[in-house]
Amino acid sequence: MPEFYHILVINPGSTTTKLALFQNREEVKVLEISHPIEDLQRFSSIADQEDYRYQFLEDFIGSVGRNPDIHAVIGRGGLLHPLAGGVYCVNAPMLDDLKNARYGEHASNLGAILAARVARELSGASCRAFIADPVVVDEQLAEAKISGMPELERRSIFHALNQKSVARIVAAQLGHSYDELNFIVCHMGGGITVGAHRKGKVIDVNNGLDGEGPFSPERSGGLPVWPLVELALSGRYTRQELRKKIVGEGGVFAYMGSRDMIPFENQVKMGDEKSVLVHKAMALQISQEIAKHGATLEGRVDAVVLTGGLARDRILIEEIKRRTAFLAPVYIIPGERELEALADNALAALRGIHPVQEYVP
């Protein structure tokens, strides 16, 4: 077993590609590439962007020295069929599902596609291609999928990668492994998801993409159902416009006209009445989502973990802690840690700590 593993991490976003080279857990080099909208609009699908984004990968690898000892390439997991958490090797069925957008179009679909190409073309047969904990991780209890309307089963779509990563960090701080403890983990970014983690499995979580849970900087969260139905049938909005009001222009944006949280936080600090009210409402809804999982975990909660970009908002954090500290000690791990989490998963797979699973459609 090598003493040092070199791991290339690929995290494609809607208008960015984040790349990093790690030596074990140490970041050697990181780069974030911004892609002009006009460049991306030339492509009819996400998968069609492969060649365009791959050229940046080649340049990045060349800038650190074309290293034949890259042991693994790991990409952000895309929209696949629901699966258990963990590390997966990139195989032909996975690539087929992603290239054909069988379960939806998203920039993260390129993670596995690009990882497989790097492993094949740049690093030789000894390099392995992985994904880990994609957003479609589904470990929910059967009863948690029941919505109250048989036609609408609850779906598990959440920030699985970062949620599981920070839970492992806190478990280690407590002297245990992730699968020995129970956590409530709240990821707070452009979308907000709160998961109940029971001994290594996320047994319930809100779908922050489709409108469940608290409102966020740009998402509406859960809404009064019948008024929403009436609004949808009113003819005032097209299907696309209504979708945007729920995801993209909901939440803080809908009330304040901006999704930029730094000016919003500054307005809160200055005591602006509307800003303070909206900020308190978001803190309340996040706290309520956290607190309900005290019931999910039957009162046995070892820690509450707050993470994501909004975990840097001290006023928000203090308000959430004030409302939820009765459940368990509250830990703060700000930021999304996606690059680090992917590298950690690849390293654990290479060392045999995490089993490498096979994707079966």
Side-chain angles (χ1 to χ4, degrees):
M1 181 181 295
E3 183 179 355
F4 294 107
Y5 288 101
H6 294 99
I7 299 164
L8 180 65
V9 178
I10 306 170
N11 184 2
S14 57
T15 60
T16 64
T17 302
K18 297 176 184 176
L19 306 171
L21 181 67
F22 284 80
Q23 181 173 280
N24 290 355
R25 289 190 171 86
E26 181 181 349
E27 187 181 275
V28 176
K29 184 168 185 176
V30 65
L31 176 67
E32 180 172 347
I33 303 142
S34 295
H35 304 297
I37 295 295
E38 54 269 25
D39 283 1
L40 300 179
Q41 287 176 338
R42 295 187 286 115
F43 303 101
S44 59
S45 72
I46 294 292
D48 289 343
Q49 297 175 19
E50 178 186 345
D51 289 342
Y52 168 76
R53 299 213 194 199
Y54 189 73
Q55 65 182 330
F56 297 101
L57 260 169
E58 287 186 305
D59 293 343
F60 177 76
I61 293 171
S63 72
V64 295
R66 185 163 170 165
N67 192 331
D69 295 327
I70 293 177
H71 300 91
V73 187
I74 186 164
R76 183 181 176 195
L79 296 177
L80 298 162
H81 72 71
L83 40 74
V87 179
Y88 288 80
C89 64
V90 178
N91 60 12
M94 180 186 294
L95 292 173
D96 185 61
D97 281 356
L98 293 170
K99 288 180 178 181
N100 291 294
R102 191 154 287 122
Y103 297 95
E105 285 265 21
H106 193 272
S108 60
N109 289 5
L110 286 164
I113 294 170
L114 292 170
R117 184 165 172 180
V118 172
R120 182 177 69 250
E121 295 188 10
L122 289 183
S123 301
S126 62
C127 182
R128 304 172 71 183
F130 301 125
I131 65 165
D133 293 331
V135 294
V136 294
V137 165
D138 186 352
E139 300 164 338
Q140 282 186 308
L141 299 170
E143 57 266 36
K145 293 181 178 293
I146 302 296
S147 70
M149 185 179 290
E151 297 90 339
L152 302 176
E153 182 177 272
R154 294 186 63 234
R155 296 197 300 162
S156 178
I157 301 179
F158 71 110
H159 303 92
L161 180 64
N162 192 44
Q163 282 208 23
K164 284 178 173 281
S165 174
V166 297
R168 290 188 181 101
I169 290 171
V170 173
Q173 291 176 2
L174 295 172
H176 290 271
S177 65
Y178 171 50
D179 58 6
E180 292 177 324
L181 300 176
N182 296 339
F183 300 101
I184 301 171
V185 183
C186 176
H187 178 106
M188 302 177 293
I192 296 174
T193 59
V194 184
H197 297 236
R198 185 176 69 188
K199 294 182 169 36
K201 303 291 184 185
V202 184
I203 61 172
D204 194 14
V205 64
N206 65 294
N207 180 339
L209 183 62
D210 288 346
E212 293 183 349
F215 73 80
S216 76
E218 61 179 31
R219 300 180 189 177
S220 69
L223 297 169
V225 176
W226 187 245
L228 177 62
V229 171
E230 290 185 315
L231 186 67
L233 297 175
S234 69
R236 291 169 56 190
Y237 302 102
T238 66
R239 186 175 187 273
Q240 292 76 14
E241 288 169 340
L242 197 60
R243 174 67 177 172
K244 189 174 286 187
K245 287 179 72 66
I246 294 170
V247 179
E249 295 182 357
V252 174
F253 179 88
Y255 288 97
M256 305 305 302
S258 174
R259 58 180 62 82
D260 188 340
M261 295 301 288
I262 294 176
F264 178 55
E265 291 165 25
N266 289 336
Q267 288 175 309
V268 172
K269 291 174 184 175
M270 291 187 294
D272 176 74
E273 188 174 343
K274 183 178 180 182
S275 300
V276 169
L277 178 61
V278 173
H279 195 265
K280 282 187 173 181
M282 184 167 65
L284 174 62
Q285 289 194 14
I286 293 169
S287 302
Q288 289 171 330
E289 192 72 20
I290 291 169
K292 81 174 190 180
H293 286 311
T296 308
L297 295 170
E298 302 176 16
R300 293 186 284 274
V301 184
D302 294 293
V304 174
V305 187
L306 306 179
T307 186
L310 294 185
R312 297 188 178 96
D313 180 342
R314 293 184 180 180
I315 298 175
L316 181 70
I317 291 302
E318 289 306 312
E319 183 68 10
I320 295 170
K321 285 174 66 176
R322 184 178 69 83
R323 292 180 177 275
T324 62
F326 71 93
L327 291 162
V330 179
Y331 290 77
I332 317 299
I333 302 180
E336 297 188 346
R337 296 194 74 261
E338 289 177 336
L339 297 176
E340 296 92 337
L342 287 168
D344 284 349
N345 274 283
L347 182 62
L350 290 170
R351 288 177 167 172
I353 298 169
H354 289 352
V356 178
Q357 302 174 73
E358 193 78 16
Y359 178 76
V360 179

